[in-house]
Amino acid sequence: QVQLVESGGGLVQAGGSLRLSCSASGIIFSLNYMGWYRQAPGKQRELVARLTNVGRSEYGDSVKGRFTISGPIALNTIYLQMNSLRPEDTAIYYCTAETIGIDYWGQGTQVTVSS
């Protein structure tokens, strides 16, 4: 049973920083990618950042230049360093991972940015 556990969310003032962590357990086959999505109230889930098993990263337009994803996913763990946070970054952040064509999701961690 694959499980993803996120940590590091919380309340921060605008302009501040947070670091999210995600660890995957129960992995049998190598992960192809790990990443972060977020969902704000009343909005669709959107890509924040994704990291492949060959080290390629991809970011959502709204976080480019402010957020950094790191791994290595070979250790089944990723991090998301979030700087210059804005109130519009407030959302539940979900960790995701894919292996052998199956996507797994964590329970999510709340990030709240106050103005």
Side-chain angles (χ1 to χ4, degrees), residues 18-98:
L18 282 175
R19 187 181 189 229
L20 304 184
S21 301
C22 175
S23 292
S25 62
I27 302 297
I28 298 176
F29 299 98
S30 297
L31 294 172
N32 292 319
Y33 77 82
M34 292 184 73
W36 296 92
Y37 283 72
R38 68 186 182 187
Q39 188 166 20
K43 295 188 176 181
Q44 289 188 330
R45 191 171 294 190
E46 64 174 357
L47 171 70
V48 177
R50 200 167 72 165
L51 183 65
T52 72
N53 58 0
V54 294
R56 294 181 64 182
S57 58
E58 177 185 2
Y59 294 91
D61 289 340
S62 62
V63 307
K64 286 180 181 177
R66 300 187 297 124
F67 292 9
T68 302
I69 190 170
S70 62
I73 67 171
L75 298 180
N76 298 336
T77 300
I78 57 167
Y79 305 92
L80 183 69
Q81 179 66 42
M82 305 186 293
N83 298 327
S84 302
L85 283 161
R86 306 166 180 167
E88 52 264 40
D89 294 318
T90 296
I92 299 175
Y93 284 68
Y94 296 92
C95 179
T96 184
E98 186 269 327

